[in-house]
Amino acid sequence: MDCYTANWNPLGDSAFYRKYELYSMDWDLKEELRDCLVAAAPYGGPLVSLLRKPWRKEKAASVTAVLEIYSASACLWPWKSGPVVSLGWSAEEELLCVQEDGGVLVYGLHGDFRRHFSMGNEVLQNRVLDARIFHTEFGSGVAILTGAHRFTLSANVSDLKLRRMPEVPGLQGAPTCWTALCQDRVAHILLAVGPDLYLLDQSACSAVTPFGLAPGVSSFLQMAVSFTYRHLALFTDTGYIWMGTASLKEKLCEFNCNIRAPRSRWCSRPRSKERAVVVAWERRLMVGVMRPRASSILGGLFVLDEDSYLVPELDGVRIFSRSTHEFLHEVPVASEEIFKIASMAPGALLLEAQKEYEKESQKADEYLREIQELGQLTQAVQQCIEAAGHEHRPDMQKSLLRAASFGKCFLDRFPPDSFVRMCQDLRVLNAIRDYHIGIPLTYSQYKQLTIQVLLDRLVLRRLYPLAIQICEYLRLPEVQGVSRILAHGPVQQKDVSDEDVARAINQKLGDTPGVSYSDIAARAYGCGRTELAIKLLEYEPRSGEQVPLLLKMKRSKLALSKAIESGDTDLVFTVLLHLKNELNRGDFFMTLRNQPMALSLYRQFCKHQELETLKDLYNQDDNHQELGSFHIRASYAAEERIEGRVAALQTAADAFYKAKNEFAAKATEDQMRLLRLQRRLEDELGGRFLDLSLHDTVTTLILGGHNKRAEQLARDFRIPDKRLWWLKLTALADLEDWEELEKFSKSKKSPIGYLPFVEICMKQHNKYEAKKYASRVGPEQKVKALLLVGDVAQAADVAIEHRNEAELSLVLSHCTGATDGATADKIQRARAQAQKK
Amino acid sequence: MAFPHRLDAPELPDFSMLKRLARDQLIYLLEQLPGKKDLFIEADLMSPLDRIANVSILKQHEVDKLYKVENKPAVSSSEQLCFLVRPRIKNMRYVASLVNADKLAGRTRKYKVIFSPQKFHACEMVLEEEGVYGDVSCDEWAFSLLPLDVDLLSMELPEFFRDYFLEGDQRWINTVAQALHLLSTLYGPFPNCYGIGRCAKMSYELWRTLEEEEDGETKGRRPEIGHIFLLDRDVDFVTALCSQVVYEGLVDDTFRIKCGSVDFGPEVTSSDRSLKVLLNAEDKVFNEIRNEHFSNVFGFLSQKARNLQAQYDRRRGMDIKQMKNFVSQELKGLKQEHRLLSVHIGACESIMKKKTKQDFQELIKTEHALLEGFNIRESTSYIEEHIDRQVSPIESLRLMCLLSITENGLIPKDYRSLKTQYLQSYGPEHLLTFSNLRRAGLLTEQAPGDTLTAMESKVSKLVTDKAAGKITDAFSSLAKRSNFRAISKKLNLIPRVDGEYDLKVPRDMAYVFSGAYVPLSCRVIEQVLERRSWQGLDEVLRLLNCSELAFTDMTKEDKASSESLRLILVVFLGGCTFSEISALRFLGREKGYRFIFLTTAVTNSARLMEAMSEVKA
C-alpha cells in the first residue's frame, strides 16, 4: 500500500487533493470538445453535447447538428429546431435547450420531447445572447442575456414565472462576464462590465465592489460561483484572482497567476476549512487553495492530456475530456488520517493490525493493544467505516471494512447499524457506479441526494430492475420503494392509446399493496396526459384519493361523484364549494339535482346558513311540496306581523296546490282563516288566541264563557261532533260548571256515549255527578261505569245479568277488602252456575 | 326469574378502556391550551362528558369555570375560552358571535373549539364566513363510544336518526365507521360480519376501507368478538314504536333514561328532592329486574324486601361479636340494597299510577290489535278519539305510524281525517311533521290500487328519481298485501299460544311485549345467526325491501376461539330500544351467546316521534 497515496497532492499544510479516474470515455465525438456545446448535470448526471459549428460558421447548414446524450444511455438525434445558445440540465434531469429566440425546449433523458416554454416577448425580439441554467432550492432556473443586454430569468422552470431584471445604467455592449447567484432564496445576477461589477436583483441594479480588491483591475474575465452559492471567484485580465464570499463583503484570499482565459470551477468539501478553486486553461489544471489569513495561495498543478470540461459537484469537480472522465476532490479527513504516510491515527493502526492478523503475525496484537491503551478503538472502527465510504475502489473499501469488522470484535457494545448501513450504501454505490449504469456518485453526494431521489433517477433512466433490486436489498417499505418504481415507469410510454396504457399498467400492477394509482395518474397528468390520468384513476380503489386530482384537472363533476362514492361527506362538501364557485347558479343546481346525497348535504347546510338559497334550490327543482313546507315554516319562524304570516301561508297554499297536495293546501287556507279570526278574537275579547290550535281556541272560548262564539267557530271549521263533545265535556268539567254540563249532556244523544262523562267527573272527584251519568251509560259499558263510580255490588249484578265472563272477572278484580266479600261470593256462585249450564 | 347467566356464558370484553382512551385524549386536548381557561359545553355533551371526566378532573387541567353553550352572551372573563361542542352549524354561529363581540369590544382572547366526535367541513366554512376562522383553533375529540353498561355502548348521537333517515344526510356514517375501526383495533378483528340496510352497508364498506388503509394493525390479532351484526333502524320501525313493558324500557318511556342515568322526581323518591340514579349492572336490584316484564317486578321487589327484612331481623338473636361482624360487613351492603329497593319500588308505584291514569290497558290492547291486524276499524277510531281528547301529541303520532306501517299505509279516507283531527288538536305546524313522516316512510297513504306505497316511498327517498320510477313499476306488480303481515307470518312474529302466556317463565322473545309480538329486529338477528348467513331469508329480505342491502362476510381463517364466537356485537344504526336489548339478552341466555350492543343512541317511540316532529321554536 505504499504507493496508495501516490496520486495525492498536498496543498497547504493540512490538505491533500487527489484525482482519480472514474471512467475511460467511450464517446464517439467527431469534433473537438471545444467545438461543442457541452452540459453535464450535477450529482453524477448525464452529459450532453451539441456541435455548435453549423450555426456559427456555415449558415447554410448542410450538416445537421446532432444532439447527443451520454452516460445514462447513448442517444442521439438530429437537431431540427432553431439555433441553440445554451444547454443545461434541470434538477429533475430534464434537458433544457435554450434557443436563440428565447424558446426553451425540454427533453427527457431519452431525448423524448416533454414541453416547450418561452422566455417572453422581449427575449423573442432581441434574441438570446447568452443563457445560463442554474439550480436553486426550488428547482432549476434559467437566466437569459438578451441582445439588448437585458436579463430575464425564471427561478424555477417547472413553475414558470418570468422576471425581467432592471436595466444596467450605461451598459453599451455585452457584459464581459456574468453569473446567476442565489441568495436568501432569491435569484440575482452578478455581472461585470470591464472593471465594474453590478448586482441585479428584482428591483434595482447596484454597483458593487469586492472587499479588498487589489487596485489596477481593468476587466473581469471570468467568475465562478461555488456549488452552494456561498463563494465566488473573480478573474481579471491581469491574471489576478480574487476569492471571497458571494456577497463580496469578505475576501478569503487573492493571488496572481499568469493565466489568461481560464475556465474555473470551485472545488471544496463540505465543512472543510479549505476552499479551493480549480482553474483550467489550455491543458493545465491548477488547484488554488485559499488559506485563511495568509494572502498567498498555494497552487497544485495537474497536467491534463486533453481539452477538458469541468463539472462542479458538491464535494469536488468532475473533469471529462475526449477519453477520460475523472474526479478531483480534497481527500476526506478520515481517509487522510488513515492513509497519510506514517499516520498514527487509530484507524491507520487498526488497518495495520488487521493486515498483520491476516498474515498471522503477532504484530496484530501489538497494534491492537496500542489502540486499546489509548481507548480509541471505537474511534478507529468509526474511522475505517467512514473512510471506506470515501473510497472509490471496491478493494480498498473491502479492506477498510474488513479492518472495521476486525476491530468491532474487540468492542463490547458497538452499535452495528453504522457498519451495516455503510456496507449497504457501498453496495448500492458500486452498483450504480458501474460503467453500464454510469452514475459516479460519491458517498457525500449520495447522502445529500437521498435514496429516494436516486431511485427516481434510476427510474428515469428506465433501469427498473436495478431500482427494484436496490429497494428489495435495502428493504424499503413498498410504498416508498417497489410500488413507486412500478408506478412511475409505464406512464412515460408514448404512442399507445390511453386505454391500453391504463390497462397495461393495471395488469402489471394489479392490486399490489402500496401501489397508489392516484400517484401514477398525477404523473400522467404531469406529462400532459389528462385522459390517461382519468383512466388510471378508475383503478384507484380509494375514491377519496381520486378527488383532489380530478379537481385539479377541472373534472369537478366527476370529482363529485367520486367523492360521493367515498362516503366522506367532508370531501363531498369540499367539491361542492368548488363547484359552487366554478359553475353558475343554474348549472350548480342542475348538478346537485342528479346527486341526491350531495343535494341533501347542501340542503342541510343551507337550512342553517343560507335560507334563501334553499328556496331557490326548491324553486329550481319545481319541488312545490318542499317549497310549501318552507313557507309554512317561515310563517311562524321568520314572520312576526300577522299580515306577513298570512302572506307566507298564502304562498305555501299556492305551492301546495301546484304540488297537487290539496289536503295541505286546504289545511293551510284553514290556518289562514284561523289566524285572522284569532286576531279578531284578541282584539274583541282580549287574552291570547294567536298560535293556539283550533281545538285549543275553542276550549279557550268555552273556558272564557263565550259559548256562542265557540259554537260558531266549531261550525265554521266543521269540527266533528265527537271532538266537540269531548272538548266541551272536558272544558265544562274543568270549569266545574256541572249545571251547564248536564244541560249539554241532554242537548242531544251523546255521540261519544256517556262513559266519558263518568270518567271525566271521576277525574274531577265528583262522584255525585258521575253517578248521574253512570245510569245513562249503555249496557256494554255499564259495568265499567259502575266500577268507576265504585258501585261494585251493582256492577256485579249487571255482569251476572249479562253472563259475560270477561265482565265478571273484571268486577272480581275490583273486589277488595272485607266489604266486597259478599259480592265476590255472589260472582263465584254465578260463575259456577254458568258453568253448570 | 332474576337474571342468571348460563354458566358457560362467555366473558365480556372490558370496555372501560374506551373511557380511559377518551379521557386521556380530552386531557391532551385541554393541555393544548395551557393555563386557566373557561370551558363551554354543549348541553347534549354534558352527560356523556360527566361519564368520562368529572369536574375535578377538568379542574386539574386548569379548567376554571364551566358554562353551558346556549343562546345568550357569555359572561366569562377568562382570557382563554374553550368550546366543547357537537359539529353543528348553530354552535359555530354562537362561537362566531362571541368572537365578534370581543372584537368589537377590542378584546383579544384565545379561542379553541373542540368538536366531538369529529369536525365537519361545513362548520369550518361557517367560521370562515363569519370571519373568525383565523381567530379560532379547531380540534377533534374522537369520543364516539360511551360504555353505558357492561354490554351497552352508545354513540350518544340521537340526531343520527333524523339526519340520516329523514334528511338523507350521510355525515355520521363516517363516524360510525371510525367507531367500528376503533373497536376492531382494540378488540381484534371480527371474523363474521352480517348486516342489513343501506346505512349498514355504507358504514360497513367505509369501515372496511379504513381497515385496508391501515392494514396490518389488526392482522394477526385474535378476535375477541366473533360476530358483528349491523342493522338499520328503518328495517324495523314497528318494534321501536311499541309501548315498552319490560322494566328498563318502561322506566325509559316514563322517566327518560338519559345517558345511563335517570332523574327520579319527588313522586318517586317521596321526598321533595329528586334523585339521580345510575342504571346499570352495578345496581344489584336493578340488574335483576331490568329485563323482567313489568307484571313480575312488583312481586319480585316485595320478595326482595322480605328477604332484606329477614336479614335485618337476624341481628335480634346475635351476641355482641356477631353483631360487630354484622355491622362491619353486612350492614353497609344491606343498607345500600335497601336504598335501591325503595327507589325502585317508588318508581314502580309511580309508573303504575301514571299508566292506569292513561288507560294503559286499552292502549296496549290497541297496539296488539294493530300488530296482529284485527279490528283495524276499532283501532282507527281509538286513535281518533286519542287525538280528539288531546291525550298526548307524541302518543297519537306513534299510534298513527304504527297503524300505517302495519297496514302498509292508511287508506286515503283515514289518512285525511286523522291528519285533519291532528292538526285541529295540535296546530298547523304539524303539516311539516306529516310531511317528514311521509318522507321517512313512517306515515303514508295507500294510493288507490296500490297498497305498497309505504315501502315504495321508503325506497324512493334512498335512490334517485329515475330509479324510483322503476321501483314503482316493480312494486305495482307485487301482490297487494301488507308487507308487515307477510313478514310477521313468515318469521312467526306473533306467537300462537293456547291459554295464557306465562310472563314469569318466558318461552321466547315475545315476552318483552307481553307475549304478543316477537321484535322483528331481534328475530332477524336470531335467524341470521342460526344460519350463519342470509340464506333462506330471501323472501323476508324482499319484503323488507332489502334484497340488495343485506350482506355477510366471513373470514376463512379460523383463529377465533369458541368463546369469542359466542360473543356478538349488534350495531343499531338509528337507535335501539331497551326492549330489543332485553329480548336479545334473553336470546343470549337461551342459546349461550352474549350480545353486546352498540347503538347511535338508546331510543324509544317518543324519541323517534319527537325527532320527526316540527315544533315552534
Side-chain angles (χ1 to χ4, degrees):
Chain A
M1 260 322 113
D2 300 320
C3 54
Y4 183 70
T5 54
N7 64 345
W8 290 23
N9 276 8
L11 273 172
D13 297 336
S14 53
F16 291 89
Y17 274 73
R18 71 172 162 190
K19 180 165 72 90
Y20 55 83
E21 182 171 322
L22 295 170
Y23 308 106
S24 61
M25 292 304 270
D26 192 22
W27 52 0
D28 198 17
L29 271 187
K30 291 189 187 71
E31 313 292 329
E32 282 300 308
L33 201 52
R34 68 174 83 177
D35 293 329
C36 296
L37 266 179
V38 181
Y43 292 107
L47 317 175
V48 63
S49 78
L50 181 67
L51 195 62
R52 52 176 128 199
K53 259 187 185 162
W55 308 302
R56 285 284 161 89
K57 288 176 184 163
E58 307 155 32
K59 284 235 159 116
S62 55
V63 192
T64 29
V66 176
L67 192 71
E68 303 180 4
I69 296 177
Y70 290 97
S71 184
S73 65
C75 155
L76 36 138
W77 77 99
W79 185 251
K80 290 191 187 118
S81 304
V84 171
V85 177
S86 177
L87 290 171
W89 293 94
S90 76
E92 292 88 35
E93 298 202 323
E94 284 172 328
L95 177 63
L96 306 174
C97 306
V98 185
Q99 301 188 95
E100 214 168 39
D101 59 359
V104 181
L105 301 172
V106 184
Y107 290 90
L109 256 182
H110 304 275
D112 43 329
F113 177 73
R114 286 276 168 80
R115 61 207 153 91
H116 164 269
F117 60 89
S118 158
M119 291 299 286
N121 274 335
E122 198 261 332
V123 180
L124 182 65
Q125 278 163 23
N126 298 319
R127 316 309 281 176
V128 179
L129 210 60
D130 196 6
R132 297 280 156 81
I133 282 132
F134 58 99
H135 302 277
T136 65
E137 50 260 68
F138 315 112
S140 309
V142 178
I144 295 219
L145 172 64
T146 67
H149 312 307
R150 290 287 297 269
F151 289 93
T152 298
L153 67 79
S154 163
N156 185 359
V157 290
S158 44
D159 178 24
L160 196 68
K161 283 195 191 85
L162 293 180
R163 282 196 282 128
R164 198 157 167 236
M165 301 311 251
E167 209 170 345
V168 183
L171 183 67
Q172 296 301 322
T176 38
C177 62
W178 63 281
T179 186
L181 281 179
C182 198
Q183 281 169 333
D184 302 332
R185 307 161 69 87
V186 183
H188 306 280
I189 301 276
L190 182 70
L191 71 151
V193 184
D196 304 315
L197 282 175
Y198 297 97
L199 186 68
L200 289 180
D201 62 21
Q202 209 153 350
S203 53
C205 163
S206 44
V208 286
T209 328
F211 176 81
L213 183 74
V217 174
S218 60
S219 177
F220 293 100
L221 290 184
Q222 258 274 339
M223 43 181 84
V225 194
S226 71
F227 199 74
T228 54
Y229 292 103
R230 223 175 278 152
H231 303 286
L232 181 77
L234 300 167
F235 300 79
T236 68
D237 51 351
T238 53
Y240 167 81
I241 301 179
W242 179 92
M243 293 161 80
T245 56
S247 61
L248 301 172
K249 297 213 172 90
E250 200 183 324
K251 180 173 72 172
L252 293 170
C253 71
E254 55 187 349
F255 68 97
N256 277 298
C257 58
N258 300 317
I259 318 162
R260 307 286 144 110
R263 253 177 282 167
S264 54
R265 293 291 182 259
W266 281 86
C267 174
S268 69
R269 202 183 60 210
R271 285 183 299 283
S272 163
K273 272 189 204 132
E274 310 273 345
R275 306 282 166 199
V277 77
V278 176
V279 183
W281 77 103
E282 279 161 16
R283 287 190 178 166
R284 271 167 293 171
L285 190 70
M286 191 192 76
V287 184
V289 177
M290 57 180 83
R291 301 184 50 221
R293 285 182 218 106
S295 57
S296 65
I297 193 155
L298 296 151
L301 213 60
F302 293 89
V303 176
L304 300 173
D305 307 326
E306 292 169 292
D307 280 344
S308 295
Y309 185 84
L310 305 185
V311 189
E313 292 279 2
L314 181 71
D315 54 351
V317 176
R318 275 198 291 155
I319 305 160
F320 60 87
S321 63
R322 272 183 81 95
S323 58
T324 57
H325 191 159
E326 293 168 307
F327 188 68
L328 171 72
H329 73 149
E330 183 190 338
V331 177
V333 180
S335 311
E336 188 188 315
E337 296 257 285
I338 291 177
F339 294 114
K340 206 162 68 178
I341 293 166
S343 167
M344 289 297 280
L349 291 176
L350 182 61
L351 187 63
E352 247 355 91
Q354 196 268 337
K355 275 178 200 153
E356 295 300 333
Y357 172 74
E358 260 176 25
K359 285 187 220 153
E360 298 178 9
S361 149
Q362 66 194 24
K363 274 194 188 155
D365 184 50
E366 280 171 31
Y367 284 128
L368 255 183
R369 264 177 215 284
E370 201 176 332
I371 309 173
Q372 271 168 329
E373 270 161 27
L374 291 168
Q376 287 177 324
L377 192 53
T378 315
Q379 203 192 333
V381 174
Q382 277 162 349
Q383 250 178 11
C384 285
I385 294 174
E386 205 193 321
H390 295 295
E391 285 311 312
H392 186 69
R393 281 164 45 190
D395 58 328
M396 287 309 295
Q397 294 166 358
K398 272 187 207 158
S399 85
L400 283 164
L401 286 176
R402 257 201 300 273
S405 149
F406 175 70
K408 241 154 50 85
C409 303
F410 301 93
L411 281 171
D412 277 343
R413 276 194 202 87
F414 186 82
D417 40 331
S418 64
F419 181 78
V420 173
R421 205 168 313 121
M422 181 58 78
C423 291
Q424 290 175 338
D425 286 343
L426 280 176
R427 225 172 139 188
V428 173
L429 281 175
N430 289 336
I432 57 163
R433 281 172 189 163
D434 184 279
Y435 73 97
H436 292 293
I437 310 295
I439 305 178
L441 274 186
T442 65
Y443 183 73
S444 337
Q445 288 167 15
Y446 166 70
K447 283 287 145 186
Q448 179 77 16
L449 201 62
T450 72
I451 181 70
Q452 267 72 31
V453 180
L454 176 63
L455 286 174
D456 284 351
R457 300 207 155 173
L458 289 175
V459 169
L460 275 178
R461 285 162 173 72
R462 296 185 191 158
L463 297 167
Y464 308 121
L466 178 65
I468 289 171
Q469 272 169 2
I470 290 178
C471 289
E472 280 166 0
Y473 175 65
L474 293 179
R475 296 207 187 104
L476 290 183
E478 295 232 319
V479 188
Q480 282 177 33
V482 177
S483 305
R484 226 165 64 131
I485 295 162
L486 287 172
H488 279 195
V491 177
Q492 291 161 14
Q493 291 171 13
K494 284 186 120 191
D495 313 324
V496 190
S497 88
D498 295 328
E499 197 95 26
D500 292 343
V501 175
R503 207 175 309 119
I505 292 173
N506 180 245
Q507 269 166 12
K508 219 178 233 174
L509 303 186
D511 292 328
T512 320
V515 170
S516 161
Y517 280 94
S518 53
D519 283 356
I520 312 177
R523 274 194 95 73
Y525 178 63
C527 298
R529 305 189 65 171
T530 314
E531 285 307 315
L532 174 60
I534 292 171
K535 293 257 153 49
L536 280 170
L537 279 181
E538 292 290 317
Y539 292 108
E540 171 66 55
R542 290 162 299 168
S543 322
E545 296 290 314
Q546 307 172 337
V547 175
L549 186 63
L550 284 171
L551 279 182
K552 206 166 136 194
M553 299 193 294
K554 304 230 182 304
R555 305 287 161 125
S556 321
K557 286 182 192 174
L558 194 56
L560 183 62
S561 45
K562 291 291 175 196
I564 290 167
E565 244 172 62
S566 80
D568 182 345
T569 47
D570 270 1
L571 203 61
V572 177
F573 201 79
T574 317
V575 181
L576 277 182
L577 290 181
H578 207 92
L579 277 172
K580 192 180 162 195
N581 294 332
E582 194 177 279
L583 302 174
N584 65 38
R585 218 173 163 78
D587 289 347
F588 176 56
F589 286 169
M590 282 306 279
T591 313
L592 280 182
R593 206 170 161 178
N594 299 325
Q595 298 287 2
M597 187 261 191
L599 182 61
S600 58
L601 193 71
Y602 191 62
R603 264 190 204 150
Q604 282 282 78
F605 176 72
C606 290
K607 233 173 229 178
H608 295 281
Q609 198 64 5
E610 292 175 17
L611 271 179
E612 281 308 301
T613 316
L614 186 66
K615 200 169 78 187
D616 295 348
L617 214 61
Y618 291 142
N619 257 324
Q620 170 92 17
D621 283 1
D622 290 333
N623 192 341
H624 298 296
Q625 174 65 34
E626 286 299 327
L627 211 53
S629 301
F630 176 84
H631 288 296
I632 293 268
R633 194 174 287 114
S635 81
Y636 61 81
E639 293 286 345
E640 281 183 10
R641 291 171 316 113
I642 191 93
E643 294 80 19
R645 296 183 58 176
V646 172
L649 286 172
Q650 183 62 54
T651 330
D654 293 347
F656 283 137
Y657 275 122
K658 277 188 202 153
K660 298 208 169 58
N661 187 345
E662 300 222 348
F663 174 82
K666 284 260 153 45
T668 312
E669 282 171 352
D670 279 352
Q671 174 59 15
M672 282 158 62
R673 236 162 14 112
L674 184 63
L675 260 183
R676 290 207 193 96
L677 198 96
Q678 284 172 336
R679 179 60 182 272
R680 220 170 46 233
L681 288 175
E682 279 192 3
D683 288 348
E684 289 170 19
L685 306 174
R688 269 198 66 74
F689 284 95
L690 275 180
D691 282 333
L692 291 183
S693 71
L694 179 62
H695 187 108
D696 293 342
T697 313
V698 178
T699 307
T700 317
L701 282 173
I702 294 175
L703 288 178
H706 309 287
N707 276 332
K708 281 269 154 55
R709 292 244 187 188
E711 299 277 350
Q712 184 63 38
L713 201 64
R715 266 198 302 282
D716 285 353
F717 284 89
R718 269 177 272 140
I719 293 181
D721 257 3
K722 275 190 183 175
R723 170 188 290 277
L724 194 63
W725 276 72
W726 271 112
L727 189 157
K728 264 191 144 172
L729 168 61
T730 324
L732 291 173
D734 277 351
L735 280 175
E736 305 201 9
D737 189 348
W738 305 117
E739 212 173 306
E740 185 69 31
L741 183 63
E742 194 166 352
K743 246 198 309 188
F744 170 59
S745 76
K746 287 173 180 163
S747 62
K748 64 174 184 176
K749 192 173 178 292
S750 164
I752 52 170
Y754 291 92
L755 186 62
F757 282 76
V758 181
E759 277 174 22
I760 301 278
C761 290
M762 283 312 288
K763 267 189 190 154
Q764 299 288 346
H765 307 291
N766 192 332
K767 206 168 184 175
Y768 173 75
E769 289 291 329
K771 279 191 173 162
K772 272 192 204 165
Y773 300 107
S775 59
R776 293 166 69 181
V777 173
E780 319 86 73
Q781 292 178 311
K782 195 113 192 176
V783 174
K784 251 190 193 170
L786 288 169
L787 285 175
L788 268 173
V789 296
D791 195 342
V792 182
Q794 212 184 333
D797 287 346
V798 176
I800 292 167
E801 199 180 306
H802 284 171
R803 290 185 190 155
N804 184 322
E805 184 58 34
E807 282 180 6
L808 282 172
S809 31
L810 184 71
V811 177
L812 206 53
S813 70
H814 275 76
C815 291
T816 46
T819 48
D820 298 327
T823 321
D825 289 346
K826 206 162 140 193
I827 294 169
Q828 298 293 10
R829 271 201 309 279
R831 264 193 175 168
Q833 238 169 19
Q835 268 162 4
K836 263 185 209 162
K837 278 176 193 172
Chain B
M1 42 202 289
F3 193 74
H5 275 299
R6 278 168 48 148
L7 286 174
D8 60 347
E11 282 285 311
L12 288 169
D14 174 20
F15 290 116
S16 62
M17 201 195 306
L18 292 166
K19 275 194 198 177
R20 286 202 300 276
L21 262 175
R23 179 165 57 225
D24 291 351
Q25 209 199 343
L26 180 66
I27 289 170
Y28 172 79
L29 289 171
L30 288 175
E31 289 294 325
Q32 297 279 297
L33 198 64
K36 283 229 178 297
K37 60 219 148 214
D38 282 358
L39 187 61
F40 289 70
I41 307 169
E42 174 155 16
D44 291 1
L45 270 169
M46 282 190 161
S47 308
L49 177 68
D50 199 42
R51 301 290 296 264
I52 295 299
N54 52 28
V55 177
S56 70
I57 290 181
L58 295 178
K59 297 262 172 195
Q60 270 170 32
H61 298 280
E62 298 186 274
V63 170
D64 197 18
K65 292 198 189 80
L66 291 167
Y67 296 92
K68 200 159 141 186
V69 170
E70 47 196 350
N71 269 333
K72 42 182 177 183
V75 286
S76 162
S77 60
S78 174
E79 283 313 298
Q80 302 196 91
L81 306 183
C82 191
F83 302 87
L84 185 58
V85 294
R86 292 271 185 230
R88 294 173 183 151
I89 287 177
K90 83 172 196 302
N91 290 329
M92 293 307 99
R93 286 234 285 276
Y94 171 75
V95 173
S97 70
L98 234 147
V99 177
N100 281 327
D102 277 356
K103 273 188 186 168
L104 266 181
R107 222 178 146 176
T108 45
R109 315 198 231 196
K110 269 196 177 169
Y111 313 92
K112 181 189 188 75
V113 181
I114 300 174
F115 294 99
S116 175
Q118 65 179 117
K119 75 178 165 208
F120 289 132
H121 193 62
C123 291
E124 292 177 297
M125 257 292 291
V126 173
L127 289 178
E128 205 178 313
E129 278 182 4
E130 304 278 333
V132 296
Y133 188 64
D135 307 283
V136 175
S137 64
C138 295
D139 252 313
E140 282 182 343
W141 181 32
F143 162 54
S144 52
L145 289 170
L146 175 67
L148 289 180
D149 208 336
V150 285
D151 60 351
L152 175 59
L153 309 174
S154 169
M155 297 181 68
E156 292 297 311
L157 284 176
E159 64 248 63
F160 183 100
F161 179 68
R162 188 182 163 114
D163 281 354
Y164 178 77
F165 292 103
L166 178 61
E167 313 277 5
D169 186 335
Q170 302 177 357
R171 290 184 304 177
W172 298 115
I173 293 180
N174 192 24
T175 320
V176 172
Q178 297 279 5
L180 293 176
H181 183 53
L182 176 67
L183 281 181
S184 66
T185 38
L186 290 179
Y187 304 104
F190 299 91
N192 305 302
C193 306
Y194 321 91
I196 179 167
R198 184 169 299 267
C199 184
K201 202 168 177 188
M202 283 195 284
S203 310
Y204 177 75
E205 278 162 9
L206 205 58
W207 169 39
R208 275 289 109 111
T209 320
L210 282 179
E211 305 261 290
E212 273 162 31
E213 273 170 31
E214 281 177 50
D215 61 350
E217 262 183 53
T218 54
K219 255 182 210 159
R221 276 203 56 172
R222 272 179 80 87
E224 278 184 55
I225 303 168
H227 307 264
I228 181 170
F229 196 111
L230 294 103
L231 183 115
D232 278 15
R233 184 71 270 173
D234 68 350
V235 167
D236 173 20
F237 277 137
V238 173
T239 305
L241 287 174
C242 292
S243 295
Q244 307 194 63
V245 285
V246 170
Y247 184 65
E248 193 168 9
L250 205 47
V251 170
D252 190 30
D253 274 1
T254 323
F255 304 101
R256 294 273 172 125
I257 298 177
K258 204 174 145 200
C259 206
S261 71
V262 65
D263 269 320
F264 282 133
E267 76 275 13
V268 174
T269 53
S270 47
S271 63
D272 46 354
R273 297 228 326 268
S274 61
L275 182 69
K276 198 172 178 184
V277 181
L278 213 57
L279 294 179
N280 58 27
E282 274 164 42
D283 179 339
K284 294 259 160 42
V285 177
F286 177 68
N287 198 24
E288 287 188 73
I289 54 173
R290 66 198 304 185
N291 299 307
E292 288 298 325
H293 189 272
F294 188 64
S295 60
N296 300 336
V297 172
F298 246 136
F300 174 80
L301 287 178
S302 53
Q303 176 65 41
K304 191 93 185 161
R306 274 198 295 279
N307 288 349
L308 202 62
Q309 192 56 50
Q311 274 178 297
Y312 272 124
D313 288 347
R314 272 198 302 131
R315 70 197 152 153
R316 294 235 176 95
M318 286 179 189
D319 58 24
I320 300 231
K321 200 174 166 199
Q322 282 171 321
M323 187 64 107
K324 203 173 155 192
N325 249 341
F326 176 79
V327 171
S328 65
Q329 287 168 7
E330 286 174 56
L331 193 59
K332 206 176 153 209
L334 288 178
K335 278 247 165 91
Q336 163 92 355
E337 213 172 322
H338 187 152
R339 198 180 55 78
L340 292 170
L341 203 56
S342 65
V343 165
H344 289 295
I345 289 175
C348 280
E349 275 169 352
S350 180
I351 291 172
M352 286 291 272
K353 228 184 265 166
K354 278 188 187 165
K355 292 301 174 192
T356 46
K357 217 198 261 172
Q358 284 173 16
D359 307 315
F360 196 52
Q361 288 305 325
E362 285 284 312
L363 187 75
I364 297 278
K365 227 174 86 190
T366 309
E367 276 180 28
H368 290 176
L370 289 176
L371 290 169
E372 286 175 51
F374 64 83
N375 285 348
I376 296 302
R377 277 268 47 93
E378 214 167 274
S379 302
T380 313
S381 42
Y382 176 83
I383 297 171
E384 195 166 344
E385 188 188 309
H386 204 267
I387 298 170
D388 283 351
R389 293 174 59 191
Q390 289 187 311
V391 179
S392 147
I394 293 297
E395 288 271 277
S396 300
L397 269 190
R398 175 173 76 85
L399 290 171
M400 285 163 81
C401 293
L402 203 54
L403 174 65
S404 165
I405 295 178
T406 52
E407 286 297 300
N408 252 24
L410 306 182
I411 55 174
K413 191 179 127 282
D414 289 344
Y415 186 60
R416 283 168 160 263
S417 79
L418 285 179
K419 280 205 302 187
T420 312
Q421 296 305 317
Y422 196 86
L423 293 178
Q424 287 190 357
S425 276
Y426 299 113
E429 65 272 19
H430 288 290
L431 255 185
L432 305 183
T433 307
F434 287 122
S435 152
N436 290 345
L437 289 171
R438 194 190 146 82
R439 187 136 41 106
L442 276 163
L443 180 59
T444 51
E445 180 183 8
Q446 296 175 0
D450 187 358
T451 41
L452 290 154
T453 334
M455 292 319 276
E456 200 189 299
S457 78
K458 200 159 136 188
V459 183
S460 55
K461 85 185 155 68
L462 297 170
V463 297
T464 55
D465 297 346
K466 250 186 242 163
K470 277 183 204 151
I471 288 167
T472 310
D473 298 344
F475 265 97
S476 46
S477 65
L478 283 175
K480 288 187 174 54
R481 60 182 168 146
S482 159
N483 279 15
F484 178 75
R485 299 264 170 276
I487 294 167
S488 159
K489 211 166 164 195
K490 197 100 201 148
L491 289 177
N492 199 14
L493 296 183
I494 313 287
R496 299 274 161 241
V497 254
D498 305 321
E500 198 97 332
Y501 188 96
D502 188 356
L503 292 167
K504 287 209 166 88
V505 192
R507 282 173 316 182
D508 55 23
M509 294 188 282
Y511 92 95
V512 300
F513 292 114
S514 312
Y517 163 65
V518 180
L520 167 57
S521 51
C522 304
R523 178 69 101 198
V524 168
I525 292 168
E526 179 195 17
Q527 292 291 315
V528 173
L529 287 176
E530 221 162 69
R531 289 157 216 255
R532 291 280 182 108
S533 80
W534 291 96
Q535 222 168 20
L537 294 172
D538 305 337
E539 179 66 13
V540 174
L541 285 177
R542 195 181 60 76
L543 289 166
L544 286 172
N545 214 32
C546 286
S547 303
E548 303 291 312
L549 302 175
F551 57 88
T552 341
D553 188 4
M554 316 252 206
T555 40
K556 301 278 177 300
E557 47 185 330
D558 206 11
K559 266 191 292 182
S561 61
S562 69
E563 175 106 334
S564 74
L565 279 175
R566 285 184 291 131
L567 272 178
I568 301 141
L569 176 72
V570 185
V571 183
F572 285 92
L573 299 163
C576 75
T577 63
F578 281 118
S579 295
E580 287 168 310
I581 293 178
S582 292
L584 286 176
R585 279 179 185 149
F586 171 83
L587 181 70
R589 260 188 337 265
E590 293 286 297
K591 307 255 164 140
Y593 300 138
R594 274 201 92 170
F595 285 93
I596 302 157
F597 306 93
L598 195 172
T599 176
T600 49
V602 176
T603 192
N604 61 19
S605 55
R607 291 194 189 101
L608 291 192
M609 290 298 110
E610 279 160 14
M612 291 289 159
S613 291
E614 291 288 332
V615 275
K616 283 181 194 172

